[in-house]
Amino acid sequence: MDYGIEQRDQEAAVRLRGRLTFNDHAKLRALIGEMKQNKAKRQVLDLSSLEFVDSAGIGMLLIAREEMVAATKELVLRGAVGQVKRVLTVAQIGKIVTIED
């Protein structure tokens, strides 16, 4: 997994690329730290370039959500397609995290 961050007023958009699996735990932890430090209250994970996510990746997204809540920020998942969208739907992540198309 790779990522890039784009800051816009009250929103920070993070574009995730590649695959999000257990092996990306350290990278995602570093990303969460960056998200907590920037000033934007709305943190958007752009999943449109993410090709694959496994159960560990879903768990890491939930950790990101918990960390954002603790930092009084909103986490939004945006643009999931293909396998990633199917996994988010099956896991019913939309009941916990805001998902935008």
Side-chain angles (χ1 to χ4, degrees):
M1 175 201 74
D2 292 315
Y3 64 88
I5 301 175
E6 182 180 323
Q7 182 90 26
R8 295 181 231 130
D9 296 324
Q10 289 299 309
E11 179 177 288
V14 181
R15 178 170 289 223
L16 300 182
R17 295 179 293 271
R19 300 167 61 87
L20 180 58
T21 67
F22 177 78
N23 295 332
D24 298 304
H25 181 77
K27 281 184 190 177
L28 195 66
R29 275 289 179 189
L31 170 59
I32 290 169
E34 289 181 53
M35 291 167 69
K36 286 170 61 175
Q37 288 181 357
N38 75 47
K39 294 185 185 337
K41 291 292 183 190
R42 191 168 205 254
Q43 303 291 314
V44 177
L45 292 181
D46 181 340
L47 308 179
S48 62
S49 296
L50 197 63
E51 301 163 4
F52 176 85
V53 63
D54 66 6
S55 59
I58 293 295
M60 289 185 279
L61 293 175
L62 294 175
I63 289 170
R65 184 223 174 241
E66 290 174 7
E67 293 285 341
M68 292 307 103
V69 168
T72 65
K73 296 178 183 245
E74 176 190 13
L75 180 67
V76 176
L77 304 179
R78 181 183 291 160
V81 295
Q83 185 268 354
V84 176
K85 187 172 188 170
R86 285 190 301 277
V87 169
L88 292 176
T89 300
V90 169
Q92 299 183 1
I93 298 302
K95 291 183 176 181
I96 302 167
V97 181
T98 301
I99 297 178
E100 297 176 351
D101 286 331

